[in-house]
């Protein structure tokens, strides 16, 4: 078994070098880590290293601009300080938006507004990207709620026809029970109070992601599948303690791949937030966006902050 794993890793390294897209490179835009993410969160929430260059034009090799969508309570500067440079250094035009800002956000804390409103923001942003780049379709990479908002946009607003690839990093696809806290609140008949308080405080985007929310129920009321058109990839961690159970992140439908990081790198103890900084996750993302082989096996190194 150990020799077989070693063979797979060797193949993964070889393929990574051949495609030039899954190993970090000495390139123009340096990749950031936790310290850069914290600094950007506080001081540069709209900063996307290597991204939001409205003069960037897609190439034949990278025909679809990538739109990055951050998670709840996050912003571009914090969420994609590693992934945006990785994409830019591998030839992609990279764009991203902060969404769901409310009076509580102070320009930094995103994803608080209702998800339906955030999907409208995404729709307008994608239209701007397509106009600027001339691309018929975009690729979407979203983390946490940033993976949920595009699902609504594709499922309910016609976004599927404008999307070539979707990659969800720990997306709150079918809602979360927050390790049973939602079920407990429902048993105590307190969910109504929580939802009312959330609406009053301007944090509907948080409660929309509960497995029992009206939003979640409406999103999947007609069918449990996602629309045809894009190629869907969901990347999950067994140690996710935010979108729980982690299996709720899975999608069903045509051209869907559901990947668990630990199925490739058993000792990668990455959690929910850490996926956005995790080496194997970066490699799987690049493989998905470049239509790489289904047998691709990431190199097990450069792990994100463990258990985060």
């Amino acid at each position: 078994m150990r020799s077989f794993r070693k063979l797979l890793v060797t193949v993964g390294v070889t393929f990574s070098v051949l495609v030039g897209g899954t190993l970090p490179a000495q390139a123009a835009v340096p990749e950031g880590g936790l310290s850069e993410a914290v600094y950007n969160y506080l001081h540069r929430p709209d900063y996307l290293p290597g991204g939001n260059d409205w003069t960037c034009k897609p190439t034949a090799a990278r025909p679809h601009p990538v739109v990055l969508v951050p998670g709840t309570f996050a912003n571009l500067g914090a969420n994609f300080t590693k992934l945006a440079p990785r994409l830019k250094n591998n030839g992609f035009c990279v764009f991203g938006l902060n969404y769901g800002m409310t009076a509580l956000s102070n320009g930094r804390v995103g994803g608080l507004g209702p998800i339906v409103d955030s999907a409208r923001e995404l729709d307008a942003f994608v239209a701007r990207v397509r106009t600027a780049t001339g691309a018929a379709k975009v690729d979407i990479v979203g983390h946490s709620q940033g993976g949920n908002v595009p699902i609504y946009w594709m499922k309910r607003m016609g976004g599927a026809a404008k999307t070539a690839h979707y990659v969800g990093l720990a997306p709150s696809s079918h809602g979360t029970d927050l390790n049973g806290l939602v079920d407990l609140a429902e048993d105590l008949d307190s969910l109504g109070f929580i939802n009312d308080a959330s609406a009053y405080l301007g944090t509907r985007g948080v409660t929309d992601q509960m497995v029992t929310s009206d939003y979640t129920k409406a999103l999947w009321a007609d069918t449990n599948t996602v629309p045809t058109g894009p190629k869907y990839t969901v990347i999950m961690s067994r140690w996710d303690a935010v979108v729980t159970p982690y299996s709720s992140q899975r999608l069903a439908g045509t051209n869907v791949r559901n990947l668990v990081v630990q199925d490739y790198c058993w000792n990668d103890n990455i959690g929910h937030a850490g996926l956005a900084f995790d080496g194997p996750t970066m490699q799987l993302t690049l493989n998905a966006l470049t239509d790489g082989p289904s047998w691709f096996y990431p190199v097990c190194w450069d792990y994100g902050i463990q258990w985060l």
Side-chain angles (χ1 to χ4, degrees), residues 28-198:
V29 185
E31 296 183 6
L34 181 61
S35 60
E36 289 84 2
V38 172
Y39 181 86
N40 290 342
Y41 188 89
L42 296 174
H43 303 288
R44 302 190 294 184
D46 298 313
Y47 177 59
L48 190 66
N52 284 341
D53 174 5
W54 297 97
T55 66
C56 187
K57 298 299 181 182
T59 64
R62 303 286 189 258
H64 308 115
V66 180
V67 174
L68 301 177
V69 192
T72 312
F73 305 133
N75 56 49
L76 288 175
N79 218 148
F80 298 117
T81 185
K82 187 178 181 74
L83 180 58
R86 180 74 62 96
L87 293 169
K88 180 65 175 181
N89 292 338
N90 283 283
F92 287 94
C93 291
V94 185
F95 299 89
L97 76 159
N98 287 320
Y99 64 91
M101 295 288 183
T102 70
L104 291 178
S105 297
N106 195 25
R108 294 172 178 81
V109 186
L112 300 185
I115 291 181
V116 173
D117 291 347
S118 296
R120 296 190 184 103
E121 294 182 60
L122 175 62
D123 185 61
F125 188 81
V126 169
R128 183 185 175 194
V129 170
R130 293 173 66 217
T131 298
T133 62
K137 295 184 178 183
V138 299
D139 292 337
I140 300 282
V141 180
H143 182 220
S144 192
Q145 184 186 163
N148 188 308
V149 172
I151 292 174
Y152 184 92
W153 173 68
M154 291 185 291
K155 203 168 191 289
R156 299 291 184 224
M157 299 177 64
K162 305 168 188 175
T163 308
H165 301 89
Y166 162 90
V167 179
L169 309 179
S172 54
S173 309
H174 296 278
T176 174
D177 67 3
L178 290 174
N179 277 308
L181 291 180
V182 171
D183 292 337
L184 176 61
E186 189 172 49
D187 290 343
L188 295 175
D189 199 26
S190 59
L191 276 182
F193 170 78
I194 293 172
N195 287 329
D196 290 343
S198 176

Side-chain angles (χ1 to χ4, degrees), residues 123-297:
D123 185 61
F125 188 81
V126 169
R128 183 185 175 194
V129 170
R130 293 173 66 217
T131 298
T133 62
K137 295 184 178 183
V138 299
D139 292 337
I140 300 282
V141 180
H143 182 220
S144 192
Q145 184 186 163
N148 188 308
V149 172
I151 292 174
Y152 184 92
W153 173 68
M154 291 185 291
K155 203 168 191 289
R156 299 291 184 224
M157 299 177 64
K162 305 168 188 175
T163 308
H165 301 89
Y166 162 90
V167 179
L169 309 179
S172 54
S173 309
H174 296 278
T176 174
D177 67 3
L178 290 174
N179 277 308
L181 291 180
V182 171
D183 292 337
L184 176 61
E186 189 172 49
D187 290 343
L188 295 175
D189 199 26
S190 59
L191 276 182
F193 170 78
I194 293 172
N195 287 329
D196 290 343
S198 176
Y200 177 77
L201 293 172
T203 58
R204 177 63 75 186
V206 179
T207 51
D208 275 350
Q209 295 175 85
M210 296 193 303
V211 67
T212 54
S213 73
D214 290 341
Y215 164 82
T216 299
K217 292 175 181 177
L219 177 61
W220 302 105
D222 53 345
T223 173
N224 194 47
T225 61
V226 288
T228 56
K231 295 181 179 179
Y232 298 85
T233 303
V234 176
I235 304 175
M236 302 163 278
S237 170
R238 285 198 177 91
W239 307 122
D240 195 317
V242 176
V243 179
T244 57
Y246 79 90
S247 57
S248 68
Q249 301 169 24
R250 295 177 179 272
L251 296 177
T254 305
N255 286 331
V256 173
R257 296 191 69 210
N258 295 296
L259 310 177
V260 179
V261 171
Q262 288 78 24
D263 287 346
Y264 299 93
C265 302
W266 64 271
N267 61 338
D268 187 354
N269 298 316
I270 203 71
H272 182 80
L275 274 178
F277 302 88
D278 183 59
T281 300
M282 302 288 120
Q283 297 171 56
L284 291 168
T285 298
L286 264 294
N287 188 63
L289 295 178
T290 56
D291 294 320
S294 60
W295 49 259
F296 174 74
Y297 202 97

